[in-house]
């Protein structure tokens, strides 16, 4: 999945911006779109590796991007890396 959007907001401001997501048993794909809309970041991932139909419950109010991504990662066994305005998702390696 690849996408590009232009934003006038510098990336460092988006990371400091507080976001709110409160969903119950919602598809991961929907949660990712909610984060994108509130932050102007874009997610990149291998759709063969990531189950975007997985359902998760998250309740984050007035939270940092990092806190929301940490919550998503803990519920999905995913890791993330932020590079510029892109958030790259991957499966956590088996330890």
């Amino acid at each position: 999945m690849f996408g590009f959007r232009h934003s006038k907001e510098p990336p460092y401001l988006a990371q400091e911006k507080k976001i709110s997501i409160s969903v119950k048993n919602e598809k991961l794909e929907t949660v990712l779109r909610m984060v994108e809309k509130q932050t102007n970041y874009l997610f990149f991932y291998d759709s063969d590796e990531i189950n975007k139909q997985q359902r998760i419950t998250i309740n984050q109010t007035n939270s940092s991007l990092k806190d929301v991504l940490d919550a998503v990662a803990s519920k999905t066994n995913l890791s993330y890396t932020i590079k510029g305005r892109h958030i790259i998702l991957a499966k956590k390696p088996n330890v």
Side-chain angles (χ1 to χ4, degrees):
M1 177 184 131
F2 293 97
F4 296 98
R5 293 185 201 153
H6 292 288
S7 171
K8 295 179 182 178
E9 184 173 282
Y12 62 87
L13 290 180
Q15 215 167 352
E16 294 172 7
K17 183 178 179 180
K18 299 298 182 185
I19 57 178
S20 296
I21 296 180
S22 182
V23 295
K24 186 173 184 177
N25 200 32
E26 188 61 72
K27 291 179 185 175
L28 173 62
E29 180 177 38
T30 301
V31 174
L32 299 181
R33 297 296 156 251
M34 293 171 77
V35 172
E36 285 182 336
K37 284 182 181 179
Q38 292 186 50
T39 64
N40 292 319
Y41 275 73
L42 296 174
F43 284 94
F44 290 86
Y45 53 87
D46 180 345
S47 57
D48 292 332
E49 188 176 293
I50 306 296
N51 178 7
K52 58 187 179 182
Q53 302 304 313
Q54 179 181 353
R55 298 204 170 258
I56 60 173
T57 298
I58 292 181
N59 186 13
Q60 294 284 322
T61 304
N62 202 24
S63 300
S64 69
L65 175 60
K66 181 186 180 318
D67 288 343
V68 171
L69 292 176
D70 287 346
V72 169
S74 72
K75 308 248 179 190
T76 59
N77 199 34
L78 297 176
S79 64
Y80 67 89
T81 304
I82 298 174
K83 294 197 178 205
R85 286 191 320 108
H86 302 126
I87 301 168
I88 301 143
L89 296 178
K91 251 185 175 175
K92 282 185 184 171
N94 293 332
V95 179

